[in-house]
Amino acid sequence: MTVPEAIPGYSLAETPRRHVRQRPDAPALVFEDVTLTYGDFDKACSRVANAFKASGIAEGDRVAFLGKNIPEYFTFAFGAAKIGAVTVGVNWRLAPPEIDFILDHGEVKLLVIDKEYLGHLDVLKLAGNPIILTVGGDGTHPEFADWMADHSNDDPGFVPHPDDTAMQVYTSGTTGKPKGVEITHRNLGASFAPFIQITGLSSDSVTLQVLPMFHIGGSMGAYLGLWCGSTNVVQREINPADMLPAVAKHRVTNIMSVPAVLQMFPAVPGAQQLDLSSVKLINYGASPISQDVLDSTMELFGCPLTQTYGLTESCGLVSYLPPEDHDPTGPRAHLMRSAGKPTPGAEIKIVGPDGKEMPEGETGEIWTRSYQNMKGFWKDPEATAAVFPEGRDADGLGWLATGDAGAMEGGYLFIKDRVKDMIVSGAENIYPAEIENVLMSHPDIADTAVIGIPSEKWGETPLAFVVAENGYELDSEDIIAYCAERLARYKLPSKIEFVKEIPRNPSGKILKVELRKPYWKGHERAVN
């Protein structure tokens, strides 16, 4: 089996150390009008690491960051790695009860919160009583910059073990509770090797980092850019009107995005007048690209595109569709609907309900094996064992069951459906169970079921079927408002349909296939 273990010597802690030796004066992070060189970056990471130690943070402790993309996130994350602490990036889209769960479940010892979200402190319960630092200041809690300022630039010298947890990424759970995915330094290093082959990133590259850092796609893209010694242009959040001028101004060479964002670029005022010729590659993921979006993107940028498919548990990489397969009018046009071929170092097989591998062209669950696969779910050995049905060997290798259904045809992976009921909306994973749990807590709702329906803009959006308690008349807007107090905005149902009953099989399981059929009629597959 040809599976590379990882980039030799890779760790998050080694990234700033590597470049302070090789290119201390080269730009590492560009944010608005501020540029941080690799020398500046390494020193700031060391000050943060020493401030962590002085605050009582030890190896293995979880430290969290709640905020959009700002330079402080990077010095926080890589500073944590320099003492062996584990970064938890908190999804800033979540509602306070969801944030509380993550901070409590993750046993977070220290939380940095950006000024935009200081209002959450009035409603967060913070049961674990973490140390609170702010960026932007609220006059009550210590300011992050002041907290780190007086500490030494000397590197603490901690060297993580490859199998130490580097970051903990929370994903939505099938039971309605998020799971903390433990990603090790080895996992990251094993994913970087194929990513570098696919993207061609180097110290000459200029990347645009706009995907959120709490998301595996955002953090992986940024961590890879820093490992390669690239110049990384950071923006707080996805805003096509800001992204395109930044591409032209900084001569960006590599963009990581999603089709939902790519389709917005041509409509940006003045887009066609900008010089975007510096872009060498656009890497997109989360969903296949339509021919219209492909055509408009290639016309605007004039560069090749690559698709990648993966999941948080595999560091965001399982397969890829290279530029030569983006040929919608040629003999390989059918490949545009595929998720590509296995990435270097990863294996894929399709497994049936009996646990046996399916023949070519037959649909089953997608399993993958590589050193990219996660260490496990934090504090959840049962769930970890469930996604590694055959266990793992002494080297930690085992087949990860993805929960997606697909087939291999001619060496290419075609995704057909989801074994789980997950909805992917604008590159965000949404599990219906989360929404269903909230809806069932409503005193006037007797039963409910949530499915994903097609959305031209977002790919899919949640639709909730609701049975009222004892014939009680409910209002759609009131129900959505009820959900908005308890769920992130992107998880809110786009529509409520009132029904007399929810269809179930004899064992009581909701027949979601039947519920989805009318909405997916005319689509090639039950995912968009």
Side-chain angles (χ1 to χ4, degrees), residues 429-461:
N429 293 347
I430 303 170
Y431 281 96
E434 291 184 277
I435 307 171
E436 291 164 353
N437 288 349
V438 168
L439 289 169
M440 286 305 295
S441 71
H442 192 292
D444 299 319
I445 292 178
D447 201 2
T448 188
V450 175
I451 63 169
I453 60 173
S455 166
E456 186 174 337
K457 183 176 183 180
W458 302 114
E460 298 171 83
T461 56

PDB file of all heavy atoms in Angstrom, residues 429-461:
ATOM      1  N   ASN A 429     -22.126  21.971   6.850  1.00  0.00           N
ATOM      2  CA  ASN A 429     -22.815  20.716   7.125  1.00  0.00           C
ATOM      3  C   ASN A 429     -23.915  20.950   8.161  1.00  0.00           C
ATOM      4  O   ASN A 429     -23.663  21.520   9.228  1.00  0.00           O
ATOM      5  CB  ASN A 429     -21.844  19.663   7.653  1.00  0.00           C
ATOM      6  CG  ASN A 429     -20.842  19.249   6.601  1.00  0.00           C
ATOM      7  OD1 ASN A 429     -21.013  19.552   5.420  1.00  0.00           O
ATOM      8  ND2 ASN A 429     -19.799  18.567   7.017  1.00  0.00           N
ATOM      9  N   ILE A 430     -25.110  20.495   7.846  1.00  0.00           N
ATOM     10  CA  ILE A 430     -26.242  20.628   8.762  1.00  0.00           C
ATOM     11  C   ILE A 430     -26.860  19.250   8.947  1.00  0.00           C
ATOM     12  O   ILE A 430     -27.216  18.588   7.973  1.00  0.00           O
ATOM     13  CB  ILE A 430     -27.310  21.584   8.187  1.00  0.00           C
ATOM     14  CG1 ILE A 430     -26.711  22.962   7.872  1.00  0.00           C
ATOM     15  CG2 ILE A 430     -28.480  21.725   9.160  1.00  0.00           C
ATOM     16  CD1 ILE A 430     -27.653  23.854   7.078  1.00  0.00           C
ATOM     17  N   TYR A 431     -26.989  18.819  10.205  1.00  0.00           N
ATOM     18  CA  TYR A 431     -27.650  17.554  10.456  1.00  0.00           C
ATOM     19  C   TYR A 431     -29.092  17.810  10.876  1.00  0.00           C
ATOM     20  O   TYR A 431     -29.348  18.579  11.814  1.00  0.00           O
ATOM     21  CB  TYR A 431     -26.919  16.749  11.532  1.00  0.00           C
ATOM     22  CG  TYR A 431     -25.701  16.067  10.991  1.00  0.00           C
ATOM     23  CD1 TYR A 431     -24.443  16.640  11.113  1.00  0.00           C
ATOM     24  CD2 TYR A 431     -25.810  14.854  10.312  1.00  0.00           C
ATOM     25  CE1 TYR A 431     -23.323  16.022  10.586  1.00  0.00           C
ATOM     26  CE2 TYR A 431     -24.696  14.225   9.786  1.00  0.00           C
ATOM     27  CZ  TYR A 431     -23.460  14.815   9.933  1.00  0.00           C
ATOM     28  OH  TYR A 431     -22.357  14.192   9.400  1.00  0.00           O
ATOM     29  N   PRO A 432     -30.060  17.203  10.171  1.00  0.00           N
ATOM     30  CA  PRO A 432     -31.463  17.420  10.512  1.00  0.00           C
ATOM     31  C   PRO A 432     -31.778  17.185  11.983  1.00  0.00           C
ATOM     32  O   PRO A 432     -32.641  17.853  12.549  1.00  0.00           O
ATOM     33  CB  PRO A 432     -32.194  16.406   9.624  1.00  0.00           C
ATOM     34  CG  PRO A 432     -31.315  16.269   8.421  1.00  0.00           C
ATOM     35  CD  PRO A 432     -29.910  16.339   8.977  1.00  0.00           C
ATOM     36  N   ALA A 433     -31.060  16.252  12.615  1.00  0.00           N
ATOM     37  CA  ALA A 433     -31.337  15.947  14.024  1.00  0.00           C
ATOM     38  C   ALA A 433     -31.191  17.173  14.913  1.00  0.00           C
ATOM     39  O   ALA A 433     -31.935  17.335  15.890  1.00  0.00           O
ATOM     40  CB  ALA A 433     -30.408  14.833  14.514  1.00  0.00           C
ATOM     41  N   GLU A 434     -30.239  18.040  14.579  1.00  0.00           N
ATOM     42  CA  GLU A 434     -30.065  19.258  15.374  1.00  0.00           C
ATOM     43  C   GLU A 434     -31.323  20.118  15.327  1.00  0.00           C
ATOM     44  O   GLU A 434     -31.788  20.633  16.349  1.00  0.00           O
ATOM     45  CB  GLU A 434     -28.890  20.070  14.836  1.00  0.00           C
ATOM     46  CG  GLU A 434     -27.526  19.461  15.038  1.00  0.00           C
ATOM     47  CD  GLU A 434     -26.445  20.402  14.558  1.00  0.00           C
ATOM     48  OE1 GLU A 434     -26.163  20.424  13.356  1.00  0.00           O
ATOM     49  OE2 GLU A 434     -25.894  21.146  15.399  1.00  0.00           O
ATOM     50  N   ILE A 435     -31.862  20.306  14.118  1.00  0.00           N
ATOM     51  CA  ILE A 435     -33.047  21.144  13.949  1.00  0.00           C
ATOM     52  C   ILE A 435     -34.261  20.445  14.547  1.00  0.00           C
ATOM     53  O   ILE A 435     -35.098  21.070  15.218  1.00  0.00           O
ATOM     54  CB  ILE A 435     -33.270  21.454  12.457  1.00  0.00           C
ATOM     55  CG1 ILE A 435     -31.993  22.032  11.825  1.00  0.00           C
ATOM     56  CG2 ILE A 435     -34.434  22.424  12.278  1.00  0.00           C
ATOM     57  CD1 ILE A 435     -32.049  22.169  10.316  1.00  0.00           C
ATOM     58  N   GLU A 436     -34.357  19.135  14.324  1.00  0.00           N
ATOM     59  CA  GLU A 436     -35.486  18.370  14.850  1.00  0.00           C
ATOM     60  C   GLU A 436     -35.531  18.423  16.371  1.00  0.00           C
ATOM     61  O   GLU A 436     -36.611  18.542  16.974  1.00  0.00           O
ATOM     62  CB  GLU A 436     -35.410  16.925  14.355  1.00  0.00           C
ATOM     63  CG  GLU A 436     -35.672  16.783  12.864  1.00  0.00           C
ATOM     64  CD  GLU A 436     -35.227  15.463  12.287  1.00  0.00           C
ATOM     65  OE1 GLU A 436     -34.579  14.664  13.012  1.00  0.00           O
ATOM     66  OE2 GLU A 436     -35.519  15.212  11.098  1.00  0.00           O
ATOM     67  N   ASN A 437     -34.366  18.344  17.018  1.00  0.00           N
ATOM     68  CA  ASN A 437     -34.323  18.408  18.482  1.00  0.00           C
ATOM     69  C   ASN A 437     -34.860  19.736  18.994  1.00  0.00           C
ATOM     70  O   ASN A 437     -35.574  19.799  19.999  1.00  0.00           O
ATOM     71  CB  ASN A 437     -32.897  18.193  18.983  1.00  0.00           C
ATOM     72  CG  ASN A 437     -32.436  16.760  18.841  1.00  0.00           C
ATOM     73  OD1 ASN A 437     -33.246  15.873  18.553  1.00  0.00           O
ATOM     74  ND2 ASN A 437     -31.156  16.521  19.025  1.00  0.00           N
ATOM     75  N   VAL A 438     -34.501  20.830  18.304  1.00  0.00           N
ATOM     76  CA  VAL A 438     -34.989  22.150  18.708  1.00  0.00           C
ATOM     77  C   VAL A 438     -36.488  22.257  18.470  1.00  0.00           C
ATOM     78  O   VAL A 438     -37.245  22.727  19.335  1.00  0.00           O
ATOM     79  CB  VAL A 438     -34.231  23.263  17.947  1.00  0.00           C
ATOM     80  CG1 VAL A 438     -34.919  24.611  18.129  1.00  0.00           C
ATOM     81  CG2 VAL A 438     -32.786  23.337  18.425  1.00  0.00           C
ATOM     82  N   LEU A 439     -36.944  21.806  17.308  1.00  0.00           N
ATOM     83  CA  LEU A 439     -38.373  21.880  17.004  1.00  0.00           C
ATOM     84  C   LEU A 439     -39.203  21.069  18.002  1.00  0.00           C
ATOM     85  O   LEU A 439     -40.285  21.499  18.434  1.00  0.00           O
ATOM     86  CB  LEU A 439     -38.636  21.385  15.577  1.00  0.00           C
ATOM     87  CG  LEU A 439     -38.154  22.310  14.453  1.00  0.00           C
ATOM     88  CD1 LEU A 439     -38.217  21.598  13.111  1.00  0.00           C
ATOM     89  CD2 LEU A 439     -38.994  23.584  14.412  1.00  0.00           C
ATOM     90  N   MET A 440     -38.698  19.907  18.395  1.00  0.00           N
ATOM     91  CA  MET A 440     -39.451  19.063  19.327  1.00  0.00           C
ATOM     92  C   MET A 440     -39.492  19.657  20.736  1.00  0.00           C
ATOM     93  O   MET A 440     -40.301  19.234  21.570  1.00  0.00           O
ATOM     94  CB  MET A 440     -38.861  17.649  19.362  1.00  0.00           C
ATOM     95  CG  MET A 440     -39.175  16.823  18.127  1.00  0.00           C
ATOM     96  SD  MET A 440     -40.952  16.704  17.767  1.00  0.00           S
ATOM     97  CE  MET A 440     -41.522  15.796  19.193  1.00  0.00           C
ATOM     98  N   SER A 441     -38.633  20.626  21.013  1.00  0.00           N
ATOM     99  CA  SER A 441     -38.679  21.288  22.318  1.00  0.00           C
ATOM    100  C   SER A 441     -39.759  22.368  22.366  1.00  0.00           C
ATOM    101  O   SER A 441     -40.072  22.903  23.432  1.00  0.00           O
ATOM    102  CB  SER A 441     -37.315  21.913  22.646  1.00  0.00           C
ATOM    103  OG  SER A 441     -37.054  23.051  21.832  1.00  0.00           O
ATOM    104  N   HIS A 442     -40.345  22.680  21.201  1.00  0.00           N
ATOM    105  CA  HIS A 442     -41.438  23.662  21.127  1.00  0.00           C
ATOM    106  C   HIS A 442     -42.696  23.020  21.741  1.00  0.00           C
ATOM    107  O   HIS A 442     -43.085  21.917  21.348  1.00  0.00           O
ATOM    108  CB  HIS A 442     -41.688  24.060  19.670  1.00  0.00           C
ATOM    109  CG  HIS A 442     -42.572  25.249  19.500  1.00  0.00           C
ATOM    110  ND1 HIS A 442     -43.911  25.229  19.829  1.00  0.00           N
ATOM    111  CD2 HIS A 442     -42.332  26.505  19.034  1.00  0.00           C
ATOM    112  CE1 HIS A 442     -44.456  26.400  19.571  1.00  0.00           C
ATOM    113  NE2 HIS A 442     -43.511  27.199  19.085  1.00  0.00           N
ATOM    114  N   PRO A 443     -43.353  23.691  22.668  1.00  0.00           N
ATOM    115  CA  PRO A 443     -44.490  23.064  23.365  1.00  0.00           C
ATOM    116  C   PRO A 443     -45.688  22.740  22.479  1.00  0.00           C
ATOM    117  O   PRO A 443     -46.515  21.890  22.846  1.00  0.00           O
ATOM    118  CB  PRO A 443     -44.871  24.114  24.418  1.00  0.00           C
ATOM    119  CG  PRO A 443     -44.334  25.412  23.901  1.00  0.00           C
ATOM    120  CD  PRO A 443     -43.078  25.048  23.159  1.00  0.00           C
ATOM    121  N   ASP A 444     -45.779  23.384  21.312  1.00  0.00           N
ATOM    122  CA  ASP A 444     -46.956  23.176  20.458  1.00  0.00           C
ATOM    123  C   ASP A 444     -46.657  22.322  19.234  1.00  0.00           C
ATOM    124  O   ASP A 444     -47.472  22.262  18.302  1.00  0.00           O
ATOM    125  CB  ASP A 444     -47.518  24.532  20.020  1.00  0.00           C
ATOM    126  CG  ASP A 444     -47.959  25.380  21.201  1.00  0.00           C
ATOM    127  OD1 ASP A 444     -48.554  24.818  22.131  1.00  0.00           O
ATOM    128  OD2 ASP A 444     -47.665  26.590  21.209  1.00  0.00           O
ATOM    129  N   ILE A 445     -45.486  21.667  19.204  1.00  0.00           N
ATOM    130  CA  ILE A 445     -45.138  20.781  18.094  1.00  0.00           C
ATOM    131  C   ILE A 445     -45.142  19.337  18.580  1.00  0.00           C
ATOM    132  O   ILE A 445     -44.451  18.991  19.547  1.00  0.00           O
ATOM    133  CB  ILE A 445     -43.771  21.162  17.492  1.00  0.00           C
ATOM    134  CG1 ILE A 445     -43.878  22.535  16.801  1.00  0.00           C
ATOM    135  CG2 ILE A 445     -43.286  20.102  16.507  1.00  0.00           C
ATOM    136  CD1 ILE A 445     -42.574  23.045  16.214  1.00  0.00           C
ATOM    137  N   ALA A 446     -45.932  18.511  17.905  1.00  0.00           N
ATOM    138  CA  ALA A 446     -46.063  17.113  18.308  1.00  0.00           C
ATOM    139  C   ALA A 446     -45.054  16.208  17.614  1.00  0.00           C
ATOM    140  O   ALA A 446     -44.609  15.209  18.181  1.00  0.00           O
ATOM    141  CB  ALA A 446     -47.481  16.626  18.016  1.00  0.00           C
ATOM    142  N   ASP A 447     -44.702  16.523  16.379  1.00  0.00           N
ATOM    143  CA  ASP A 447     -43.774  15.685  15.627  1.00  0.00           C
ATOM    144  C   ASP A 447     -43.151  16.527  14.521  1.00  0.00           C
ATOM    145  O   ASP A 447     -43.723  17.550  14.096  1.00  0.00           O
ATOM    146  CB  ASP A 447     -44.504  14.479  15.030  1.00  0.00           C
ATOM    147  CG  ASP A 447     -43.556  13.331  14.676  1.00  0.00           C
ATOM    148  OD1 ASP A 447     -42.334  13.468  14.937  1.00  0.00           O
ATOM    149  OD2 ASP A 447     -44.037  12.320  14.141  1.00  0.00           O
ATOM    150  N   THR A 448     -41.993  16.099  14.047  1.00  0.00           N
ATOM    151  CA  THR A 448     -41.312  16.869  13.006  1.00  0.00           C
ATOM    152  C   THR A 448     -40.309  15.999  12.268  1.00  0.00           C
ATOM    153  O   THR A 448     -39.860  14.961  12.774  1.00  0.00           O
ATOM    154  CB  THR A 448     -40.587  18.093  13.617  1.00  0.00           C
ATOM    155  OG1 THR A 448     -40.076  18.927  12.566  1.00  0.00           O
ATOM    156  CG2 THR A 448     -39.440  17.656  14.509  1.00  0.00           C
ATOM    157  N   ALA A 449     -39.954  16.424  11.068  1.00  0.00           N
ATOM    158  CA  ALA A 449     -38.893  15.801  10.276  1.00  0.00           C
ATOM    159  C   ALA A 449     -38.288  16.896   9.411  1.00  0.00           C
ATOM    160  O   ALA A 449     -38.996  17.768   8.910  1.00  0.00           O
ATOM    161  CB  ALA A 449     -39.433  14.675   9.405  1.00  0.00           C
ATOM    162  N   VAL A 450     -36.971  16.841   9.247  1.00  0.00           N
ATOM    163  CA  VAL A 450     -36.262  17.856   8.463  1.00  0.00           C
ATOM    164  C   VAL A 450     -35.489  17.168   7.346  1.00  0.00           C
ATOM    165  O   VAL A 450     -34.820  16.153   7.575  1.00  0.00           O
ATOM    166  CB  VAL A 450     -35.301  18.682   9.347  1.00  0.00           C
ATOM    167  CG1 VAL A 450     -34.472  19.647   8.498  1.00  0.00           C
ATOM    168  CG2 VAL A 450     -36.082  19.450  10.407  1.00  0.00           C
ATOM    169  N   ILE A 451     -35.600  17.719   6.147  1.00  0.00           N
ATOM    170  CA  ILE A 451     -34.862  17.200   4.997  1.00  0.00           C
ATOM    171  C   ILE A 451     -34.170  18.359   4.287  1.00  0.00           C
ATOM    172  O   ILE A 451     -34.456  19.530   4.549  1.00  0.00           O
ATOM    173  CB  ILE A 451     -35.793  16.475   3.993  1.00  0.00           C
ATOM    174  CG1 ILE A 451     -36.822  17.465   3.408  1.00  0.00           C
ATOM    175  CG2 ILE A 451     -36.466  15.275   4.642  1.00  0.00           C
ATOM    176  CD1 ILE A 451     -37.600  16.922   2.227  1.00  0.00           C
ATOM    177  N   GLY A 452     -33.264  18.025   3.378  1.00  0.00           N
ATOM    178  CA  GLY A 452     -32.641  19.027   2.532  1.00  0.00           C
ATOM    179  C   GLY A 452     -33.357  19.083   1.194  1.00  0.00           C
ATOM    180  O   GLY A 452     -33.694  18.053   0.614  1.00  0.00           O
ATOM    181  N   ILE A 453     -33.634  20.300   0.732  1.00  0.00           N
ATOM    182  CA  ILE A 453     -34.263  20.472  -0.578  1.00  0.00           C
ATOM    183  C   ILE A 453     -33.345  21.310  -1.461  1.00  0.00           C
ATOM    184  O   ILE A 453     -32.509  22.069  -0.957  1.00  0.00           O
ATOM    185  CB  ILE A 453     -35.657  21.128  -0.462  1.00  0.00           C
ATOM    186  CG1 ILE A 453     -35.552  22.513   0.191  1.00  0.00           C
ATOM    187  CG2 ILE A 453     -36.600  20.221   0.310  1.00  0.00           C
ATOM    188  CD1 ILE A 453     -36.867  23.280   0.193  1.00  0.00           C
ATOM    189  N   PRO A 454     -33.472  21.193  -2.784  1.00  0.00           N
ATOM    190  CA  PRO A 454     -32.552  21.906  -3.680  1.00  0.00           C
ATOM    191  C   PRO A 454     -32.660  23.419  -3.540  1.00  0.00           C
ATOM    192  O   PRO A 454     -33.742  23.974  -3.345  1.00  0.00           O
ATOM    193  CB  PRO A 454     -33.007  21.460  -5.076  1.00  0.00           C
ATOM    194  CG  PRO A 454     -33.799  20.215  -4.862  1.00  0.00           C
ATOM    195  CD  PRO A 454     -34.431  20.354  -3.518  1.00  0.00           C
ATOM    196  N   SER A 455     -31.497  24.067  -3.619  1.00  0.00           N
ATOM    197  CA  SER A 455     -31.436  25.530  -3.617  1.00  0.00           C
ATOM    198  C   SER A 455     -30.446  25.949  -4.685  1.00  0.00           C
ATOM    199  O   SER A 455     -29.301  25.489  -4.688  1.00  0.00           O
ATOM    200  CB  SER A 455     -30.981  26.052  -2.252  1.00  0.00           C
ATOM    201  OG  SER A 455     -30.602  27.415  -2.327  1.00  0.00           O
ATOM    202  N   GLU A 456     -30.885  26.813  -5.591  1.00  0.00           N
ATOM    203  CA  GLU A 456     -30.005  27.253  -6.668  1.00  0.00           C
ATOM    204  C   GLU A 456     -28.793  28.003  -6.125  1.00  0.00           C
ATOM    205  O   GLU A 456     -27.695  27.898  -6.656  1.00  0.00           O
ATOM    206  CB  GLU A 456     -30.781  28.147  -7.641  1.00  0.00           C
ATOM    207  CG  GLU A 456     -29.977  28.549  -8.878  1.00  0.00           C
ATOM    208  CD  GLU A 456     -30.809  29.310  -9.883  1.00  0.00           C
ATOM    209  OE1 GLU A 456     -32.053  29.162  -9.867  1.00  0.00           O
ATOM    210  OE2 GLU A 456     -30.213  30.053 -10.677  1.00  0.00           O
ATOM    211  N   LYS A 457     -28.996  28.747  -5.032  1.00  0.00           N
ATOM    212  CA  LYS A 457     -27.905  29.556  -4.474  1.00  0.00           C
ATOM    213  C   LYS A 457     -27.007  28.766  -3.548  1.00  0.00           C
ATOM    214  O   LYS A 457     -25.780  28.848  -3.619  1.00  0.00           O
ATOM    215  CB  LYS A 457     -28.489  30.762  -3.731  1.00  0.00           C
ATOM    216  CG  LYS A 457     -27.430  31.708  -3.166  1.00  0.00           C
ATOM    217  CD  LYS A 457     -28.076  32.938  -2.537  1.00  0.00           C
ATOM    218  CE  LYS A 457     -27.007  33.906  -2.036  1.00  0.00           C
ATOM    219  NZ  LYS A 457     -27.590  35.126  -1.412  1.00  0.00           N
ATOM    220  N   TRP A 458     -27.611  27.974  -2.631  1.00  0.00           N
ATOM    221  CA  TRP A 458     -26.836  27.329  -1.576  1.00  0.00           C
ATOM    222  C   TRP A 458     -26.608  25.835  -1.795  1.00  0.00           C
ATOM    223  O   TRP A 458     -25.936  25.204  -0.999  1.00  0.00           O
ATOM    224  CB  TRP A 458     -27.533  27.534  -0.226  1.00  0.00           C
ATOM    225  CG  TRP A 458     -27.732  28.971   0.120  1.00  0.00           C
ATOM    226  CD1 TRP A 458     -28.919  29.634   0.235  1.00  0.00           C
ATOM    227  CD2 TRP A 458     -26.716  29.952   0.363  1.00  0.00           C
ATOM    228  NE1 TRP A 458     -28.701  30.946   0.554  1.00  0.00           N
ATOM    229  CE2 TRP A 458     -27.371  31.175   0.640  1.00  0.00           C
ATOM    230  CE3 TRP A 458     -25.315  29.910   0.390  1.00  0.00           C
ATOM    231  CZ2 TRP A 458     -26.672  32.350   0.919  1.00  0.00           C
ATOM    232  CZ3 TRP A 458     -24.619  31.075   0.670  1.00  0.00           C
ATOM    233  CH2 TRP A 458     -25.298  32.277   0.936  1.00  0.00           C
ATOM    234  N   GLY A 459     -27.154  25.282  -2.846  1.00  0.00           N
ATOM    235  CA  GLY A 459     -27.044  23.831  -3.062  1.00  0.00           C
ATOM    236  C   GLY A 459     -28.215  23.118  -2.438  1.00  0.00           C
ATOM    237  O   GLY A 459     -28.978  22.431  -3.103  1.00  0.00           O
ATOM    238  N   GLU A 460     -28.357  23.270  -1.113  1.00  0.00           N
ATOM    239  CA  GLU A 460     -29.474  22.702  -0.370  1.00  0.00           C
ATOM    240  C   GLU A 460     -29.830  23.639   0.771  1.00  0.00           C
ATOM    241  O   GLU A 460     -28.983  24.373   1.270  1.00  0.00           O
ATOM    242  CB  GLU A 460     -29.114  21.335   0.215  1.00  0.00           C
ATOM    243  CG  GLU A 460     -28.778  20.266  -0.787  1.00  0.00           C
ATOM    244  CD  GLU A 460     -28.236  19.017  -0.098  1.00  0.00           C
ATOM    245  OE1 GLU A 460     -29.060  18.209   0.371  1.00  0.00           O
ATOM    246  OE2 GLU A 460     -27.015  18.869  -0.004  1.00  0.00           O
ATOM    247  N   THR A 461     -31.077  23.584   1.212  1.00  0.00           N
ATOM    248  CA  THR A 461     -31.502  24.270   2.427  1.00  0.00           C
ATOM    249  C   THR A 461     -32.448  23.352   3.194  1.00  0.00           C
ATOM    250  O   THR A 461     -33.081  22.469   2.611  1.00  0.00           O
ATOM    251  CB  THR A 461     -32.227  25.607   2.124  1.00  0.00           C
ATOM    252  OG1 THR A 461     -33.336  25.353   1.254  1.00  0.00           O
ATOM    253  CG2 THR A 461     -31.287  26.605   1.481  1.00  0.00           C
TER     254      THR A 461
END
